[in-house]
Amino acid sequence: QVQLVESEGGLVQPGGSLRLSCAASGVSRSIYAMGWYRQAPGKQRDLVATITSDGTTHYADSVKGRFTISRDNAKNTVYLQMNSLKPEDTAVYYCQAQLLPYHYWGQGTQVTVSS
């Protein structure tokens, strides 16, 4: 049973930084891709960033230049470094792992950007 455990989010002031991590356990084969999604109140869950096993990354336009996704394949862990945070980044952030054809989700962690 694959499980994803995310680090705690938190309250950050605008312009601040926060790093999220997500570790996958119960993995018996290679994880094709890992990523982060977010869901603000009353909105759909949207992609933030993804990274494949060979390091190819993809970002939502809204976070390009501010967020960086990285991955430690040996630890089955993905990270999201978030800089220059804005109030509109406030959301529940979810980790996802793709072990094709299956997708697994973390429980979500709240990130609030507010002064």
Side-chain angles (χ1 to χ4, degrees), residues 70-113:
S70 60
R71 177 174 171 175
D72 185 332
N73 290 331
K75 296 182 179 179
N76 289 324
T77 298
V78 65
Y79 305 93
L80 185 68
Q81 177 66 43
M82 303 184 290
N83 298 328
S84 302
L85 283 161
K86 304 175 181 180
E88 51 263 43
D89 294 318
T90 295
V92 177
Y93 284 70
Y94 295 90
C95 172
Q96 186 203 64
Q98 297 181 27
L99 287 81
L100 299 178
Y102 304 106
H103 293 61
Y104 299 90
W105 293 92
Q107 77 282 3
T109 187
Q110 177 70 47
V111 173
T112 302
V113 184

Side-chain angles (χ1 to χ4, degrees), residues 40-93:
K43 296 189 176 181
Q44 66 181 21
R45 189 175 298 187
D46 291 325
L47 179 145
V48 176
T50 60
I51 183 168
T52 60
S53 56
D54 66 357
T56 301
T57 58
H58 175 74
Y59 294 92
D61 287 342
S62 60
V63 307
K64 282 181 181 176
R66 299 188 299 122
F67 291 11
T68 302
I69 190 170
S70 60
R71 177 174 171 175
D72 185 332
N73 290 331
K75 296 182 179 179
N76 289 324
T77 298
V78 65
Y79 305 93
L80 185 68
Q81 177 66 43
M82 303 184 290
N83 298 328
S84 302
L85 283 161
K86 304 175 181 180
E88 51 263 43
D89 294 318
T90 295
V92 177
Y93 284 70

